[in-house]
Amino acid sequence: MDKRDFAFDRVNYILLAVGMAVVILGFLLMSGGGSTETAYDPDIFSARRIKVAPLVCLAGFVSMIYAIVRRPADK
């Protein structure tokens, strides 16, 4: 097979992997302990969980979309 037959090139796959890693990082930032019926944990409303983590996930998804839409460079 000729390389021109593939929809993605190496850079596309690298960008997809980086985007997936950023999404996973965002979900890890959202994780943590929660409140129970007997104890309230105010950390569930921290800025890291409410603001930072969703923005990190969004950036990861946007970069994955870019990696899919990006055209391989013609050589």
Side-chain angles (χ1 to χ4, degrees):
M1 281 190 161
D2 192 14
K3 279 192 169 190
R4 288 177 269 170
D5 294 334
F6 294 116
F8 291 162
D9 63 350
R10 181 180 173 136
V11 176
N12 289 82
Y13 288 114
I14 291 171
L15 290 173
L16 276 170
V18 168
M20 181 59 74
V22 171
V23 170
I24 291 171
L25 175 68
F27 278 104
L28 288 174
L29 288 172
M30 276 190 246
S31 68
S35 295
T36 62
E37 291 183 22
T38 58
Y40 172 73
D41 185 13
D43 190 43
I44 61 172
F45 298 113
S46 69
R48 174 181 56 99
R49 287 184 173 178
I50 300 295
K51 296 177 184 175
V52 176
L55 289 176
V56 170
C57 286
L58 179 67
F61 285 124
V62 168
S63 67
M64 288 177 64
I65 291 170
Y66 171 74
I68 293 170
V69 174
R70 180 188 168 276
R71 271 195 185 163
D74 293 331
K75 294 179 182 175

